[in-house]
Amino acid sequence: MSAESAPRPDPRPEPSPEPSPDGRPARHVLVLGGTTEARRLAEALAAAPSGRVTTSLAGRVTSPVLPPGETRVGGFGGVEGLAAWIVAHDVTHVVDATHPFAERMSFHAAGAAARTGVPLLALRRPGWTPRSGDRWTFVDSLDEAADRLPALGSRAFLTTGRMGLHTFAHLTDTWFLVRSVDPPAPPVPPRLEVLLDRGPFTLDDERGLIARHRIDVLVTKDSGGSATAPKLTAAREAGIPVLVVRRPAVPAGVPETGSVEAVRDWLATSR
């Protein structure tokens, strides 16, 4: 999710459901999505309807897999735009289930929740933890990863997302393999091969990819989850180093959980 995406006109808001028997407004959950966890949450809420659920997607992927319930695509226009949408659509709860590295959107969500008084919860999958045999180097940014990379290898499997490829564009001596759903836009590294594919990926997939392309270093973000974790196991088996970009912190004051079940409990008790 990115506030830089151009806002798209929303259809006229759906009529608000009738208030619950205790007089509270009917629940309308806005899920800031784009992750597996966001989709699972939308599925869980749609399977046991007690109001509305709307999932917002950034629109960066050409053909996203749409979750159940209502969806909207595109940016809100910063904190003010998101706050206005929350009010106009009678949103009662916001769940920030964006990618752990969608830092700007998370701060916009925190600002909009503070302005509107609507409860906000961050849903974040747990990060990865190194195991015995791993050769991990943690860095705080893509810029630092680009600085450290040449000393670790010359054939890099770069899995930090196509939007950050410009950070590595000045590395003319490193050969890069990049895997993404959509083709990356320039600027990109001059020695680059792109694989257009969508996860999840199996351990055998990652073993074969590392061997076939003679990868000698892996660069990744600490995204967590199981969909792309096999690459870490394959790197450990191959004995190659891994550059891991630490994830940014959730905005101060925003509660955080790692499970869909905990979000459902929160929705049942928060007002």
Side-chain angles (χ1 to χ4, degrees), residues 87-99:
V87 172
H89 293 260
D90 297 317
V91 172
T92 60
H93 301 78
V94 179
V95 180
D96 175 13
T98 56
H99 191 277

Side-chain angles (χ1 to χ4, degrees), residues 103-128:
E103 186 175 12
R104 180 176 298 179
M105 189 63 232
S106 293
F107 276 92
H108 287 174
R115 290 193 184 195
T116 60
V118 170
L120 168 66
L121 179 67
L123 173 58
R124 293 286 186 272
R125 67 188 77 154
W128 291 316

Side-chain angles (χ1 to χ4, degrees), residues 25-43:
R27 190 175 73 189
H28 181 192
V29 182
L30 173 62
V31 179
L32 304 176
T35 61
T36 301
E37 291 74 26
R39 180 175 179 82
R40 288 173 179 167
L41 176 60
E43 290 171 347

